[in-house]
Amino acid sequence: EELTPEEVRRGLLLGVLSGKIAPVYCGSATHDVGLERLLSAIPRYVPAPDKHPVTATRNGSEIELTSQADGPLGLSVFKTVIDRYVGRMTYVRNFSGTLHKDERLVCTRTGHE
């Protein structure tokens, strides 16, 4: 039996929420190809952080990171760039808490500062 477009969308959303599906979109920002499809897919298939809390491990115990500014700080580093004029820049995804300037952080995976 053939699936309706709504059934396919619902299945994709459930797959992304469970972490079994990672949608991949191809495009070119310089030629403006594929950007419109990507922007329409993000609210449809990417879960909102406030609706789906993330769990993290700290000191051997799991904690829940909700998107609250006064909650425990939870970040994910996704890129570090070294620029000869600016210096080292690290891009992060903030799941919870507030990051302050010159704050010293520890990687929970390695234990290094």
Side-chain angles (χ1 to χ4, degrees):
E1 172 178 338
E2 193 170 318
L3 297 173
T4 66
E6 189 55 41
E7 290 173 327
V8 172
R9 287 188 186 111
R10 179 78 179 142
L12 283 173
L13 175 63
L14 292 174
V16 170
L17 289 175
S18 69
K20 295 179 180 179
I21 294 176
V24 177
Y25 283 82
C26 298
S28 171
T30 57
H31 294 98
D32 197 23
V33 176
L35 186 61
E36 197 172 306
R37 283 188 149 196
L38 173 66
L39 291 176
S40 68
I42 288 174
R44 184 180 292 164
Y45 299 120
V46 178
D50 58 340
K51 294 183 182 176
H52 305 282
V54 175
T55 58
T57 304
R58 181 189 288 172
N59 299 332
S61 62
E62 282 197 358
I63 59 171
E64 188 174 277
L65 301 176
T66 58
S67 57
Q68 301 295 323
D70 59 346
L73 184 62
L75 306 171
S76 177
V77 175
F78 62 88
K79 186 173 188 173
T80 299
V81 177
I82 299 174
D83 184 277
R84 69 176 166 171
Y85 300 109
V86 178
R88 186 171 153 183
M89 295 181 294
T90 301
Y91 296 90
V92 298
R93 159 66 160 94
N94 187 347
F95 290 99
S96 175
T98 304
L99 179 63
H100 301 285
K101 181 180 177 184
D102 297 328
E103 189 171 354
R104 299 174 77 90
L105 303 173
V106 174
C107 177
T108 57
R109 186 175 46 84
T110 63
H112 294 110
E113 193 170 275

